[in-house]
Amino acid sequence: PMTLADVRVSPDNAVKPNVGSLELSEALTRVLPFTAKDDNRPVLACVNFVAKEGKLKLVSADGFRLAVVSLDCDEEGQALINRDELRGIANALRKAHRVNLSFEKSGDSLDGMSLILDTEAIRYKWRGADGQFPDYEKLIPNEFNTVAHLDTVEAVKAIASLKVLADSKSYPIDITLDNGYMVMANTEDKGQTAIPADIEGNPVKVRIDGGYLAQALKAC
């Protein structure tokens, strides 16, 4: 799809920021890995930008994983932007001093909304994709039975040690939260590892894809 970038030369920094450039850059970095990679689900190949009630949410999902990042932003609007069009914009935002995020209608002859990012030097504009993003909020529990606080770096190392024991690229892991430890074990009883964790609530055991878990922990 066509993407527009307007370069504006101005004698002063006339952009009134409504979102932090570094915060937006970091948010994009966190949600982009969790978009769908195939072309059969065009909506899930997009990042959903939703701004309302003083918050900007960036949401991505691929049918198995869901990523949501919330930022402060005084704006209203919604647009679906394809992951490929956003490639490289996170690095560009790190160099910007001011960023203003806004939405506008794509035009009388086009449906949907466009997303606009104004910096002090460059305006980025993307026409939103057609489609309806899934109602992801129904998937997020209102309350939790168990919460664990742990070191993500140590957890990723532990997952990597179990990956070498797997016979295929898919390596499910059994996770047990109990007695101050997060115990991760190979499902074929080939090995296990444990890291300290502050656990609140009842003991719990769950089986999860090791690759998905590692990517989520890296994003944190």
Side-chain angles (χ1 to χ4, degrees), residues 44-80:
L44 294 184
C46 298
V47 174
N48 189 26
F49 290 78
V50 182
K52 61 180 180 180
E53 299 176 353
K55 293 291 183 180
L56 169 68
K57 288 187 177 181
L58 281 68
V59 188
S60 64
D62 63 0
F64 299 96
R65 304 167 298 172
L66 171 69
V68 183
V69 178
S70 181
L71 304 173
D72 292 329
C73 181
D74 186 15
E75 184 59 42
E76 297 284 334
Q78 184 271 336
L80 284 168

Side-chain angles (χ1 to χ4, degrees), residues 18-173:
N18 63 355
V19 65
S21 59
L22 293 179
E23 289 82 357
L24 182 56
S25 172
E26 182 69 19
L28 283 168
T29 302
R30 293 189 177 192
V31 300
L32 281 173
F34 301 99
T35 51
K37 305 299 190 296
D38 57 77
D39 298 329
N40 297 325
R41 296 174 294 176
V43 170
L44 294 184
C46 298
V47 174
N48 189 26
F49 290 78
V50 182
K52 61 180 180 180
E53 299 176 353
K55 293 291 183 180
L56 169 68
K57 288 187 177 181
L58 281 68
V59 188
S60 64
D62 63 0
F64 299 96
R65 304 167 298 172
L66 171 69
V68 183
V69 178
S70 181
L71 304 173
D72 292 329
C73 181
D74 186 15
E75 184 59 42
E76 297 284 334
Q78 184 271 336
L80 284 168
I81 308 300
N82 186 275
R83 66 186 311 273
D84 293 333
E85 295 193 42
L86 295 171
R87 186 176 299 161
I89 191 63
N91 288 333
L93 289 175
R94 292 190 183 99
K95 302 176 182 179
H97 298 290
R98 294 173 173 83
V99 175
N100 181 279
L101 181 144
S102 60
F103 301 86
E104 70 175 26
K105 291 185 178 180
S106 296
D108 295 336
S109 61
L110 298 173
D111 296 328
M113 299 289 289
S114 293
L115 172 69
I116 299 174
L117 293 181
D118 278 306
T119 70
E120 65 274 9
I122 300 176
R123 161 174 282 202
Y124 303 94
K125 181 177 180 180
W126 300 273
R127 190 173 77 85
D130 297 329
Q132 186 71 30
F133 200 81
D135 188 3
Y136 68 92
E137 293 182 341
K138 293 181 179 180
L139 302 176
I140 302 176
N142 294 323
E143 60 183 17
F144 301 92
N145 296 324
T146 305
V147 177
H149 304 268
L150 53 102
D151 187 304
T152 56
V153 175
E154 293 301 321
V156 170
K157 291 180 180 178
I159 295 172
S161 68
L162 294 174
K163 182 179 181 180
V164 300
L165 300 175
D167 296 328
S168 64
K169 293 182 179 180
S170 176
Y171 55 104
I173 293 175

Side-chain angles (χ1 to χ4, degrees), residues 165-211:
L165 300 175
D167 296 328
S168 64
K169 293 182 179 180
S170 176
Y171 55 104
I173 293 175
D174 286 331
I175 298 176
T176 303
L177 299 173
D178 196 10
N179 295 324
Y181 283 93
M182 177 180 181
V183 180
M184 291 180 281
N186 177 276
T187 56
E188 299 176 355
D189 295 327
K190 293 182 179 180
Q192 70 175 33
T193 181
I195 61 173
D198 294 330
I199 301 172
E200 303 170 3
N202 301 321
V204 65
K205 184 175 182 179
V206 64
R207 178 170 292 182
I208 191 170
D209 185 292

